[in-house]
Amino acid sequence: MSALSKNSARLRDEERARLIWLMTTDKALTSTLLGKLTLAEQYDVGTLADDIAEVGALVAHLPPPDLADTLEALPSEERHALWRLVQDHERGQVLVEASENVWEDLIDEMSDHAILDALRTLDIDDQIYLVQHLPRNLTGRLLVSLPPQERARVHQVLHYEQDRVGAIMEFSVITVRPDVTLGTVQRYLRRLGKMPKNTDKLFVTSRDKTLLGELALQTILLNSAQSKVSEVMDTQPMLFSPEDDAEKAARTFERDNLLSAAVVDAVGKLMGRLTIDEIVDVVYKETDNDMRALGGP
């Protein structure tokens, strides 16, 4: 098998399907993982051990989004059994990728210590996403463990209603000054070594964080390294306010084919950004609510 085929979409689909089939057709497997295998459920010990080993290998190989999809497809008992095989360092990312119903079900049986450990593996934006749904006592304990700047960001997001842009914005942004050259920007990006997910543009700000424009990555690549940022930046970018309705923002993203956009305060200072990931979550929730409404009480 080639290196490429080991991570093909087809193989991952097959592995998810196999994992779901094993968990839903083998009651003894679920009972063993949950530590409550009965005599009536016992069968060939070697076969059961092989099934457990296969499930463990599949869980170890699948990335967090696929594990989240798999957990979504399982009934609650099987979901909890499979969750016990997810590595501690991956649990936080799987929770981020899962729907609210799934991770609320999963954290229901986790200890406070285990939940906080899972959250600490995440970046600040993912922590903020999950912390909005934690019990108040856990929210306080997580906040105490954060550096002052990140703690202030969490407090800022919690200030907004969940249907507002401010509640779903990210703080992971890259900013540059208007008076530097594109060559300087390129060197800066290389020093950073990585960029936040869904970064298709940088935000151009003054020293007091006032947003002046945005600089698309394509612009950085296709223009002369001697060009100044101010000469090639977009001075009329799409902006959102933290008080904007999240569903209306989602429709703007769809209409304008946006991948990310700036969020600014009342005086034009950059607060953060919206990305397509948050927008997909909004659309999913809106669709789910519409389907529930069609289904009636």
Side-chain angles (χ1 to χ4, degrees):
M1 181 182 293
S2 70
L4 289 177
S5 64
K6 289 180 181 179
N7 197 37
S8 70
R10 176 184 294 180
L11 178 61
R12 286 168 58 177
D13 285 343
E14 291 172 351
E15 289 183 340
R16 284 198 306 272
R18 175 65 176 171
L19 190 51
I20 293 168
W21 184 85
L22 285 168
M23 295 302 301
T24 54
T25 60
D26 192 341
K27 184 65 178 176
L29 176 59
T30 296
S31 296
T32 299
L33 293 175
L34 292 175
K36 55 181 185 181
L37 182 68
T38 65
L39 289 174
E41 292 172 330
Q42 291 183 10
Y43 61 98
D44 181 71
V45 175
T47 301
L48 178 58
D50 289 344
D51 287 347
I52 292 174
E54 183 179 1
V55 167
L58 290 169
V59 169
H61 182 258
L62 285 170
D66 288 333
L67 290 175
D69 282 348
T70 303
L71 291 164
E72 186 93 36
L74 293 174
S76 182
E77 187 174 44
E78 286 76 9
R79 179 184 300 147
H80 283 279
L82 187 64
W83 183 239
R84 297 191 177 195
L85 294 179
V86 177
Q87 298 281 332
D88 289 345
H89 69 274
E90 285 197 321
R91 283 189 162 195
Q93 197 57 53
V94 174
L95 289 174
V96 170
E97 299 290 346
S99 69
E100 289 183 23
N101 289 338
V102 168
W103 61 258
E104 285 178 355
D105 179 39
L106 292 174
I107 68 173
D108 193 47
E109 74 161 19
M110 294 172 66
S111 68
D112 290 357
H113 180 73
I115 294 171
L116 292 174
D117 281 348
L119 291 180
R120 289 186 183 111
T121 65
L122 302 173
D123 63 31
I124 183 60
D125 291 314
D126 287 336
Q127 287 183 352
I128 290 173
Y129 170 72
L130 289 179
V131 79
Q132 298 175 71
H133 306 279
L134 289 178
R136 187 175 297 276
N137 66 310
L138 281 183
T139 300
R141 288 174 60 183
L142 178 64
L143 288 174
V144 168
S145 70
L146 295 176
Q149 184 179 16
E150 294 186 356
R151 191 182 313 140
R153 288 176 173 178
V154 175
H155 278 300
Q156 189 175 30
V157 167
L158 294 178
H159 169 75
Y160 298 104
E161 297 292 332
Q162 291 190 21
D163 62 350
R164 302 290 107 180
V165 163
I168 61 172
M169 66 180 173
E170 289 189 359
F171 292 99
S172 299
V173 298
I174 300 178
T175 61
V176 294
R177 299 281 183 259
D179 55 349
V180 301
T181 66
L182 296 186
T184 300
V185 173
Q186 292 171 0
R187 290 192 295 274
Y188 172 58
L189 293 177
R190 283 195 290 270
R191 283 201 306 273
L192 286 178
K194 63 179 182 179
M195 292 186 287
K197 186 179 178 184
N198 294 318
T199 295
D200 62 327
K201 64 194 64 163
L202 313 183
F203 298 107
V204 186
T205 62
S206 62
R207 294 189 182 279
D208 67 354
K209 296 185 179 180
T210 298
L211 184 68
L212 304 174
E214 62 185 29
L215 185 66
L217 296 185
Q218 181 175 338
T219 300
I220 299 172
L221 293 172
L222 298 182
N223 286 274
S224 167
Q226 281 71 48
S227 298
K228 286 196 171 183
V229 168
S230 59
E231 298 170 347
V232 295
M233 69 182 187
D234 180 359
T235 58
Q236 297 293 324
M238 175 60 65
L239 305 176
F240 292 96
S241 160
E243 297 289 354
D244 286 344
D245 183 277
E247 290 185 6
K248 291 181 179 178
R251 288 192 281 275
T252 300
F253 260 68
E254 181 180 11
R255 186 172 58 248
D256 291 6
N257 294 317
L258 297 173
L259 186 61
S260 68
V263 180
V264 299
D265 66 13
V267 295
K269 294 185 188 298
L270 181 67
M271 298 178 65
R273 65 174 184 151
L274 276 184
T275 77
I276 192 64
D277 278 357
E278 289 79 46
I279 293 302
V280 168
D281 289 337
V282 170
V283 172
Y284 177 85
K285 185 178 293 185
E286 181 182 8
T287 303
D288 185 58
N289 289 340
D290 289 344
M291 294 298 293
R292 290 175 186 273
L294 288 174

